[in-house]
């Protein structure tokens, strides 16, 4: 009996410790320190690193506090840009350099405004493109989705940071990442689309990387183009025009149709039109799939990365397509 009581007590202590470990607050994340070894699940230190990578424009895509392919690519790019061995692993050397990029807290308190909780929202969006065309707008489903995209996080992480919050009341205080990237760079010489690595890089005249974004690029059905192109224009809040000549799998319409604008439009909140007909760089309604799925030939980024890219480029900015992924040793900008 005594052994059973001791066993139960020990189990309760362990359960309590696990619960405490699962809690997230400003101090837990803002004061997180480097720990050797790759965590197998969620980590406050990884969350801190992702937010700082995002700020530095080495985008990890959707911020979720977990190791992912996009996080590894962001770390690798940051390492290469800073002259470190670029294996994509978060070493102490990489951590220290990343911490030096910004002294501001990575998590901050944010108060919900009327604009945050006000629609118009689009609660139900059909999966088929032809049915989407019947809607007057492809807005966010709700305020939570709107806020998650604003702060570059998954909805699951936003809930975990703010347990029990309904995200509906003006004045509600939330914990959110500070993902302010600062003013966009002005000395942009061109954009490089690496089809093998599934990355978009923004270059200065010397070839230095000003920004690196994960991307979904082309497919067997409609491969991404080759060679060189130029940016023709940037369209904010675009509509989406379907041409039957595209012959996308699952689309049965033999007539062209247009899908209304909105962040859940198939091309998201931004369309960067290229000089190659019917191709562009654009946003997406599904940020969690960027870099892990293919696109209908175009270059797809998260809405926030597409908007950031749009702020850096202008008409006639050069866009070059690379066919093969560079080796880690060859990847470093000169």
């Amino acid at each position: 009996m005594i052994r059973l009581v001791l066993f139960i007590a020990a189990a309760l202590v362990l359960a309590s410790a696990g619960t405490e470990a699962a809690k997230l607050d400003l101090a837990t994340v803002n004061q997180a320190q480097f720990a050797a070894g790759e965590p197998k699940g969620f980590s406050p230190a990884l969350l801190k690193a992702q937010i700082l990578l995002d700020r530095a424009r080495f985008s990890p895509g959707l911020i979720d506090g977990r190791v992912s392919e996009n996080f590894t690519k962001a770390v690798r790019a940051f390492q290469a840009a800073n002259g470190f061995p670029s294996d994509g692993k978060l070493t102490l050397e990489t951590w220290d350099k990343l911490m030096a990029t910004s002294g501001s807290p990575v998590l901050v308190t944010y108060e919900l405004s009327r604009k945050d909780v006000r629609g118009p929202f689009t609660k139900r969006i059909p999966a088929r493109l032809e049915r989407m065309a019947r809607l007057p707008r492809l807005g966010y489903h709700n305020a939570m989705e709107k806020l998650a995209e604003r702060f570059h996080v998954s909805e699951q992480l936003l809930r975990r940071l703010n347990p029990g919050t309904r995200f509906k009341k003006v004045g509600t205080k939330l914990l959110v990442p500070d993902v302010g990237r600062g003013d966009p760079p002005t000395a942009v010489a061109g954009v490089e689309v690496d089809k093998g690595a599934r990355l978009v890089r923004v270059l200065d005249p010397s070839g230095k990387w000003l920004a690196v974004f994960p991307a979904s690029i082309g497919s067997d059905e409609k491969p991404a183009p080759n060679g060189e192109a130029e940016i023709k224009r940037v369209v904010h809040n675009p509509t989406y025009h379907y041409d039957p000549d595209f012959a996308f799998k699952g689309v049965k319409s033999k007539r062209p149709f247009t899908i209304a604008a909105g962040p859940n439009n198939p091309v998201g909140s931004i369309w960067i039109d290229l000089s190659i007909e019917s191709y562009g760089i654009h946003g997406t309604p599904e940020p969690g799939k960027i870099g892990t799925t293919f696109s209908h030939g175009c270059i797809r980024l998260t809405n926030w990365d597409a908007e950031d890219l749009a702020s850096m480029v202008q008409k006639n900015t050069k866009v070059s397509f690379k066919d093969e992924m560079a080796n880690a040793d060859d990847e470093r900008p000169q």
Side-chain angles (χ1 to χ4, degrees), residues 30 61 66 81 104 106 115 125 127 157-158 206 215 251 290 299 305 310 331:
N30 288 337
R66 298 174 182 273
S104 301
V106 293
K115 184 178 179 180
I125 298 177
L157 178 58
L158 188 60
S206 70
V251 181
I290 289 300
I299 302 89
D305 285 342
E331 194 175 25

Side-chain angles (χ1 to χ4, degrees), residues 26 107-111 172-176:
L26 288 173
L107 277 191
V108 294
T109 302
Y110 176 79
E111 187 173 301
T172 298
K173 292 184 178 180
L174 306 178
L175 288 186
V176 297

Side-chain angles (χ1 to χ4, degrees), residues 30-256:
N30 288 337
Q31 298 174 18
Q33 299 296 316
F34 174 80
E38 187 174 279
K40 295 182 179 180
F42 177 86
S43 163
L46 279 181
L47 175 57
K48 185 175 183 178
Q50 286 178 340
I51 295 169
L52 289 175
L53 284 166
D54 187 284
R55 270 191 210 165
R57 290 190 165 93
F58 290 88
S59 174
L62 196 67
I63 294 171
D64 61 3
R66 298 174 182 273
V67 173
S68 66
E69 183 178 348
N70 286 338
F71 172 70
T72 298
K73 290 194 292 187
V75 172
R76 184 184 296 122
F78 180 81
Q79 289 170 327
N82 286 281
F84 299 155
S86 51
D87 59 4
K89 296 180 180 179
L90 192 59
T91 62
L92 178 58
E93 181 183 42
T94 305
W95 173 272
D96 288 343
K97 187 68 175 181
L98 186 56
M99 296 305 112
T101 61
S102 175
S104 301
V106 293
L107 277 191
V108 294
T109 302
Y110 176 79
E111 187 173 301
L112 283 181
S113 69
R114 190 174 302 277
K115 184 178 179 180
D116 292 324
V117 301
R118 184 178 60 205
F121 298 119
T122 309
K123 293 185 178 181
R124 293 183 178 86
I125 298 177
R128 292 185 57 181
L129 296 181
E130 299 99 320
R131 293 181 179 177
M132 285 186 195
R134 301 173 188 173
L135 299 178
R137 175 171 170 77
L138 275 293
Y140 292 112
H141 290 93
N142 48 46
M144 175 179 283
E145 184 186 29
K146 183 178 182 179
L147 288 161
E149 185 154 300
R150 174 172 180 175
F151 295 107
H152 309 178
V153 297
S154 66
E155 291 184 40
Q156 292 80 3
L157 178 58
L158 188 60
R159 289 192 194 97
R160 185 168 182 178
L161 287 169
N162 302 281
T165 301
R166 299 186 64 191
F167 304 95
K168 292 183 178 181
K169 186 177 179 181
V170 174
T172 298
K173 292 184 178 180
L174 306 178
L175 288 186
V176 297
D178 179 358
V179 289
R181 292 177 174 174
D183 294 334
T186 56
V188 173
V191 175
E192 183 177 77
V193 179
D194 190 329
K195 295 190 288 184
R198 296 190 191 180
L199 290 171
V200 170
R201 305 184 186 99
V202 182
L203 312 178
D204 76 0
S206 70
K208 177 184 176 181
W209 299 348
L210 300 173
V212 181
F213 305 121
S216 293
I217 305 172
S219 64
D220 292 338
E221 183 182 7
K222 189 176 181 183
N226 296 313
E228 304 291 324
E230 292 183 351
I231 291 174
K232 291 170 58 180
R233 60 179 179 146
V234 173
V235 182
H236 295 265
N237 204 28
T239 55
Y240 174 77
H241 304 284
Y242 179 77
D243 186 332
D245 289 342
F246 295 162
F248 290 161
K249 185 178 180 180
V251 181
K252 298 180 180 180
S253 177
K254 303 300 181 183
R255 297 182 179 181

Side-chain angles (χ1 to χ4, degrees), residues 189 229-233 314-319:
E230 292 183 351
I231 291 174
K232 291 170 58 180
R233 60 179 179 146
Q314 55 188 341
K315 185 177 180 180
N316 298 326
T317 297
K318 303 293 183 183
V319 178

